[in-house]
PDB file of all heavy atoms in Angstrom:
ATOM      1  N   CYS A  39     236.545  89.420  19.861  1.00 95.00           N
ATOM      2  CA  CYS A  39     235.531  90.330  20.386  1.00 95.00           C
ATOM      3  C   CYS A  39     234.148  89.810  20.002  1.00 95.00           C
ATOM      4  O   CYS A  39     233.908  89.451  18.855  1.00 95.00           O
ATOM      5  CB  CYS A  39     235.740  91.730  19.811  1.00 95.00           C
ATOM      6  SG  CYS A  39     234.352  92.832  20.161  1.00 95.00           S
ATOM      7  N   LYS A  41     231.570  91.386  19.681  1.00 94.00           N
ATOM      8  CA  LYS A  41     230.805  92.329  18.852  1.00 94.00           C
ATOM      9  C   LYS A  41     231.325  92.394  17.421  1.00 94.00           C
ATOM     10  O   LYS A  41     230.574  92.218  16.473  1.00 94.00           O
ATOM     11  CB  LYS A  41     230.833  93.728  19.486  1.00 94.00           C
ATOM     12  CG  LYS A  41     229.735  93.919  20.512  1.00 94.00           C
ATOM     13  CD  LYS A  41     229.396  95.391  20.677  1.00 94.00           C
ATOM     14  CE  LYS A  41     228.101  95.550  21.467  1.00 94.00           C
ATOM     15  NZ  LYS A  41     228.074  96.853  22.165  1.00 94.00           N
ATOM     16  N   CYS A  42     232.655  92.653  17.288  1.00 93.00           N
ATOM     17  CA  CYS A  42     233.175  92.865  15.932  1.00 93.00           C
ATOM     18  C   CYS A  42     233.909  91.645  15.389  1.00 93.00           C
ATOM     19  O   CYS A  42     234.220  91.582  14.205  1.00 93.00           O
ATOM     20  CB  CYS A  42     234.098  94.088  15.901  1.00 93.00           C
ATOM     21  SG  CYS A  42     235.607  93.842  16.857  1.00 93.00           S
ATOM     22  N   CYS A  79     237.921  95.130  23.936  1.00 95.00           N
ATOM     23  CA  CYS A  79     238.098  95.495  22.530  1.00 95.00           C
ATOM     24  C   CYS A  79     238.298  97.008  22.449  1.00 95.00           C
ATOM     25  O   CYS A  79     237.495  97.772  22.975  1.00 95.00           O
ATOM     26  CB  CYS A  79     236.889  95.081  21.705  1.00 95.00           C
ATOM     27  SG  CYS A  79     237.057  95.536  19.968  1.00 95.00           S
ATOM     28  N   CYS A  82     235.740  98.596  19.195  1.00 93.00           N
ATOM     29  CA  CYS A  82     234.292  98.798  19.276  1.00 93.00           C
ATOM     30  C   CYS A  82     233.957  99.974  20.187  1.00 93.00           C
ATOM     31  O   CYS A  82     234.683 100.275  21.126  1.00 93.00           O
ATOM     32  CB  CYS A  82     233.610  97.547  19.821  1.00 93.00           C
ATOM     33  SG  CYS A  82     233.509  96.246  18.612  1.00 93.00           S
TER      34      CYS A  82
HETATM   35 ZN1   ZN B   1     235.132  94.667  18.939  1.00 81.56          ZN
END
Side-chain angles (χ1 to χ4, degrees):
C39 169
K41 274 204 168 154
C42 66
C79 179
C82 284

